[in-house]
Amino acid sequence: MTWALKEAEKAYLAGEVPVGAVLVRDGSIIARGYNQVEMLKDATAHAEMICLTSGSVACDNWRLLDTTLYCTMEPCSMCLGAMLLARIKKLVWGAPDLRHGANGSWVDLLAQKHPTHTIEVVRGVEEAACADLMRRFFQERRNDRTIR
């Protein structure tokens, strides 16, 4: 999660919502991603999506079998759906996302057995650090009246 937090810090410094992700296979990071929605002007440019795409390139395969995705925030429905489709083995996330979280905070896409794939999930890893970065980001945005 330390490396996912470093990716989230990149997003923070770029003025993006500070979410970061890393994809690990056999104990090595094979892909990284951080939110780039504003920079790319693309609502799908979430940290997890960028990481999964990079992982597919690194593996030369869309099936990301035997990988673990570490993400600083609970994934949204788009990202969790992509993880199911990519066949990641394990998801480790930090802080819950009460507005968009698709692993129990808003909805739980994994509550029912998926017909083709199951993802092992570990929740709340480095939750305080992940949540603090998000809190600081939005507090600064609220205090800066020049940002709309």
Side-chain angles (χ1 to χ4, degrees):
M1 189 60 77
T2 299
W3 293 103
L5 276 162
K6 288 178 188 285
E7 292 298 309
E9 195 62 43
K10 290 178 186 177
Y12 180 89
L13 294 171
E16 298 278 353
V17 174
V19 179
V22 294
L23 188 65
V24 174
R25 177 181 268 167
D26 298 326
S28 297
I29 295 173
I30 61 168
R32 303 166 191 268
Y34 62 91
N35 271 4
Q36 297 178 40
V37 171
E38 300 299 333
M39 180 174 55
L40 298 177
K41 296 172 181 41
D42 178 357
T44 69
H46 291 192
E48 303 94 324
M49 299 297 285
I50 290 168
C51 193
L52 291 172
T53 299
S54 295
S56 293
V57 171
C59 293
D60 194 29
N61 195 329
W62 62 268
R63 290 177 192 88
L64 299 173
L65 304 172
D66 299 319
T67 60
T68 299
L69 183 70
Y70 292 83
C71 184
T72 58
M73 292 294 291
E74 175 184 5
C76 71
S77 56
M78 172 185 66
C79 293
L80 194 52
M83 290 175 211
L84 282 165
L85 292 170
R87 313 289 201 280
I88 68 162
K89 181 177 182 176
K90 184 175 182 178
L91 165 65
V92 179
W93 57 264
D97 182 347
L98 301 177
R99 293 180 8 181
H100 302 288
N103 189 215
S105 293
W106 173 54
V107 297
D108 192 351
L109 295 183
L110 301 179
Q112 295 185 28
K113 184 171 175 26
H114 190 272
T116 60
H117 187 65
T118 301
I119 299 174
E120 177 186 344
V121 178
V122 178
R123 304 171 183 184
V125 175
E126 295 290 334
E127 181 175 345
C130 295
D132 182 59
L133 184 60
M134 192 68 68
R135 240 186 318 277
R136 284 190 295 135
F137 176 81
F138 284 107
Q139 183 66 46
E140 288 174 11
R141 293 302 176 267
R142 282 190 294 275
N143 291 338
D144 186 349
R145 299 196 189 283
T146 63
I147 297 173
R148 294 182 200 203

